[in-house]
Amino acid sequence: AQSVTQPDIHITVSEGASLELRCNYSYGATPYLFWYVQSPGQGLQLLLKYFSGDTLVQGIKGFEAEFKRSQSSFNLRKPSVHWSDAAEYFCAVGASSSNTGKLIFGQGTTLQVKP
Amino acid sequence: DAGVIQSPRHEVTEMGQEVTLRCKPISGHDYLFWYRQTMMRGLELLIYFNNNVPIDDSGMPEDRFSAKMPNASFSTLKIQPSEPRDSAVYFCASSLGTATEAFFGQGTRLTVV
């Protein structure tokens, strides 16, 4: 069965500093991987996705993520954080082999940005 | 397209009452998902449909919960009777086939008092 772990529940970074949010997944085959962002009181918005090909994926708002099969990881990065990036971030895994379209989410990481 | 539309945005009800949450997926999408979000359990997949057919309802907490999708443009999640522990934000999402992302609605914040 698919599962996702986001080890960091809460992260605080200073504005302008770099950011890395961790995501580890469990799945028998090559998964589909996603990062979503949720602002308070809002739904989830897709930041980026990985299906196949280049393991470094670019997304919206200056985010990128790297798929590392050997580490079962899909960490999200941003070189310089803006105050508007404060939100909750979710990593999700989809099952590629079963073709179900089912998405399983991690517990989320809350990002706080200090001025 | 207006995106995934959920109604109501907020619902406050008394314990024991029936609650119905509604969702209109993005036109043309063939998958529809219902998720529940709480502080304790995060985002949980309750049930999902493919072409209006329920595929996996293993996440539905108990028999008090039921979901239907009578046609491609409408789905409901019903809780009867509701309990305070059902208080959560319920999200509906839709996607186009596999290997695509899910698009989320704004959610319904349910409070059962």
Side-chain angles (χ1 to χ4, degrees):
Chain A
Q2 309 141 252
S3 68
V4 180
T5 302
Q6 293 180 245
D8 305 305
I9 295 174
H10 192 107
I11 282 184
T12 300
V13 300
S14 298
E15 190 168 15
S18 64
L19 171 70
E20 182 169 32
L21 302 182
R22 296 183 291 164
C23 172
N24 294 99
Y25 67 89
S26 175
Y27 184 62
T30 299
Y32 300 143
L33 295 162
F34 307 82
W35 275 100
Y36 284 82
V37 61
Q38 183 182 30
S39 298
Q42 301 298 312
L44 279 73
Q45 180 186 20
L46 181 72
L47 284 176
L48 48 78
K49 60 189 177 186
Y50 171 80
F51 291 153
S52 64
D54 193 346
T55 57
L56 185 61
V57 180
Q58 302 298 320
I60 62 172
K61 305 185 181 186
F63 285 92
E64 66 178 25
E66 186 170 12
F67 170 59
K68 292 185 177 180
R69 185 192 305 274
S70 61
Q71 299 177 19
S72 297
S73 69
F74 189 57
N75 294 348
L76 182 71
R77 301 193 294 248
K78 186 170 185 178
S80 177
V81 170
H82 188 263
W83 63 266
S84 60
D85 293 325
E88 190 159 18
Y89 292 80
F90 293 91
C91 181
V93 61
S96 59
S97 62
S98 62
N99 241 20
T100 65
K102 178 177 175 177
L103 285 185
I104 301 299
F105 285 82
Q107 287 288 84
T109 298
T110 299
L111 173 64
Q112 183 179 1
V113 180
K114 294 190 300 184
Chain B
D1 201 312
V4 176
I5 299 174
Q6 292 186 246
S7 64
R9 289 293 310 276
H10 302 273
E11 177 81 42
V12 180
T13 190
E14 292 185 347
M15 182 173 63
Q17 297 298 306
E18 178 180 293
V19 176
T20 299
L21 311 182
R22 296 173 175 79
C23 175
K24 176 178 166 52
I26 293 172
S27 177
H29 281 191
D30 55 352
Y31 280 89
L32 184 138
F33 307 85
W34 282 101
Y35 288 88
R36 178 173 67 176
Q37 184 178 36
T38 60
M39 289 291 292
M40 292 299 295
R41 301 174 68 90
L43 264 170
E44 303 173 275
L45 177 63
L46 300 178
I47 185 171
Y48 75 99
F49 296 82
N50 178 216
N51 292 322
N52 314 337
V53 176
I55 302 300
D56 184 351
D57 65 354
S58 60
M60 295 285 262
E62 47 198 274
D63 292 345
R64 297 185 298 107
F65 285 69
S66 62
K68 294 182 179 179
M69 193 165 186
N71 57 62
S73 58
F74 184 65
S75 177
T76 59
L77 178 68
K78 186 176 295 186
I79 308 173
Q80 166 64 17
S82 58
E83 297 182 1
R85 60 191 168 125
D86 302 330
S87 297
V89 180
Y90 291 82
F91 287 103
C92 177
S94 69
S95 68
L96 178 61
T98 59
T100 63
E101 67 268 31
F103 292 82
F104 281 75
Q106 295 283 65
T108 295
R109 181 173 295 277
L110 173 65
T111 303
V112 183
V113 298

